Amino acid sequence: MSMAEGLGQVGSGAALELRGVTKMFGALAAIADVTMTVRPGERRAVLGSNGAGKTTLFNCVTGDFLPTSGSIRLFGEDVTAFPAHERIRRGLRRTYQISLLFGGLSVADNVYLACRGVSRGRFSLLRPRRGDALQAQADELIEAVRLTAARDTMVSDLSYGQQRQLEIALALAGAPRFILFDEPAAGLSPTERAELIKILTGLPEHIGYIIIEHDMDVALRVAESVTMMHNGRVFKEGTPAEIEDDAEVQELYLGGGHG
Amino acid sequence: MAVIERQPAEPYWVERIPAPVWAVGFLLLIMPAVANDFVLFQVFGWTFILGMIALSLMFLAGYGGMVSLIQMSVAALAGYMVAIFGPSGVEALSLFLPWYVYIPVAVVIATIGGALVGALAVRTEGIYTIMITLAIASAFFYFTRQNYGIFNGYTGFNLVVPPQLFGVDWRQPVPFYYLTLGMAALSWLVVVYVSRSPFGLALQGVRDNPRRMAALGFNVTAHRIAAYAFASVIAAFGGILLVWQNAQISPGTAGIPAVIDILVIAVVGGLKRPIGPFIGALIYVLLRSFAPDALSAFGLSTERFKLLIGLGFLLIVFFSPDGVLGLWERWRARRASKADPLRGGSR
């Protein structure tokens, strides 16, 4: 186990620190006793087969679910009992495995809302003026994920790949410090995958992230450290090279029919 | 040529108002020249008032995805407050304060009431929101009927009339017509404007995907409660006009049939746009006003007018779940696709 490694970093200003996090669904532990520390700016991949508890882990970190036990610290602050929006306002962001977008609004409105969510004036009854700083910010993000041509398209009319790009734009809005990417490459074409890798590796250095990815090639190219999960528990931690060479991992994950 | 700073593609806001809005606005403005007192006061006055109360429901349901049955009760609460704080025929209970006190007090109390109901209802979804607001609406009805100390029980308040401001009797048909038209137009404009403000956009985000809104940093619960408060302000003004029009208010004003009628009006008109509730209200008022005459012309009992309203509702909901507005939009889409033979049926 990598407990010793995790314990060694307590109080050292980690971006994200999980201690003994458990989430029960009835009698089933979706994740059990997960302890993990991620430095600010660190880029980590979480690997594991279906049902290993990867998405549940994300849901506990963002506050979509409250963990059954254990504690979660975000940039040194205990956020275990915080509602989702309070964690987001502290610099945490996430994307969803199945795109969660606002189908009745345009691309520009979606990104504008994401920028608005972490700024003041969320309840403002006044329409934004032309040249509003947040709108400029939104346009930059739309440009960054290459959706400028679809700026005024309703989200329900976007292609699947475009929706995935918009997912990422929403997570980059405001001033993110740490992002959770939940299978951003799922269902993308090889070209779109290459684009995604470019977007991820091109993020400013201070932004750390955890990425859940089934595609080893993508995961190992965008991450500097890897956590393997199995049956809701942390199974191995290490560098991409260590994980790739690990006999147990090979047997469990690479060898054992994934796909 | 002189340098034009404004980009040519960008029209002034006046130019962006579509022609039908100009036409309807003009027609409504000159209406008193052609219509009689009954049409002005009873048909249009009532249409504008019911339209405002239904508009408050449209705002919650169309933009927020929350079907609230409390809007009529909020309107009635404001009406009661006008009768209690202002003048009425029940001298033992009314306080006879001046209008610049009782109108704001009525709006504030109704808004707080609506927001409180919202705070109870926003943690529920769909049918449960309908049930909880319906339960509170019927509780309000029975409370007003049984409470004599404040609400004067079964009788309610009579002789509740608007103040004689600027030397005008606002209950005369023409002034009342313009008063209700002005308030309805203002509410409509405010809702149209707010729908594109950060608050309105965020509300539509909450409707489409509350979980994602939380993951963007929005406090979904607070946003929904704020939407109830906003809608309550519109309903409150509608309620004040309603008590002035009837010159009385009693528990039946917010009885269960009246509560349901607001839902019917909003659904029949269409929940997608702020103009829908006014169309629904006009249809409802026309049916209420003229169905008895139509029935007796066919030798049927005039008591059956509710049957006609019910049938009309059934027909519209059956053929167009998104109301009259939905019918209109589909008709326009079909006409547009016919007019363009190259693109054919592609919208």
Side-chain angles (χ1 to χ4, degrees), chain A residues 27-39:
Chain A
L28 177 84
I31 54 174
D33 195 26
V34 170
T35 295
M36 183 193 275
T37 308
V38 188
R39 286 178 286 110

Side-chain angles (χ1 to χ4, degrees), chain B residues 19-89:
Chain B
V21 175
W22 284 115
V24 171
F26 180 71
L27 261 179
L28 288 175
L29 275 180
I30 60 156
M31 189 65 75
V34 288
N36 64 28
D37 286 355
F38 175 78
V39 170
L40 288 182
F41 188 81
Q42 207 54 46
V43 176
F44 280 101
W46 200 20
T47 295
F48 295 142
I49 292 166
L50 288 179
M52 283 173 70
I53 301 170
L55 175 69
S56 78
L57 168 58
M58 177 273 149
F59 182 80
L60 287 174
Y63 295 135
M66 300 176 281
V67 179
S68 153
L69 290 182
I70 203 68
Q71 302 318 110
M72 190 67 220
S73 309
V74 171
L77 180 59
Y80 266 116
M81 289 306 123
V82 163
I84 291 166
F85 287 95
S88 88

Side-chain angles (χ1 to χ4, degrees), chain A residues 64 89 104 109 124 127 167, chain B residues 192-193 196 208 211-212 217:
Chain A
D64 284 43
R89 290 177 196 174
D109 287 343
S124 170
R127 289 187 184 185
E167 243 332 288
Chain B
V192 168
Y193 179 85
R196 299 291 307 158
D208 286 355
R211 192 171 156 208
R212 185 52 182 264

Side-chain angles (χ1 to χ4, degrees), chain A residues 59 64 85 88-89 96 100-105 109 112-113 116-117 122-127 130 167 170, chain B residues 10 192-194 196-199 201-202 204-205 208-209 211-219 222-223 226 347:
Chain A
N59 285 334
D64 284 43
H85 64 266
I88 300 305
R89 290 177 196 174
Y96 288 83
L100 279 184
L101 303 165
F102 310 111
L105 299 176
D109 287 343
Y112 179 74
L113 275 182
R116 198 36 106 172
R122 282 178 288 266
F123 289 92
S124 170
L125 294 175
L126 298 178
R127 289 187 184 185
R130 209 173 302 283
E167 243 332 288
L170 296 193
Chain B
E10 211 170 84
V192 168
Y193 179 85
V194 166
R196 299 291 307 158
S197 71
F199 174 68
L201 277 179
Q204 293 167 70
D208 286 355
N209 212 323
R211 192 171 156 208
R212 185 52 182 264
M213 283 304 278
L216 291 179
F218 287 91
N219 184 340
H223 232 90
R347 270 228 270 205

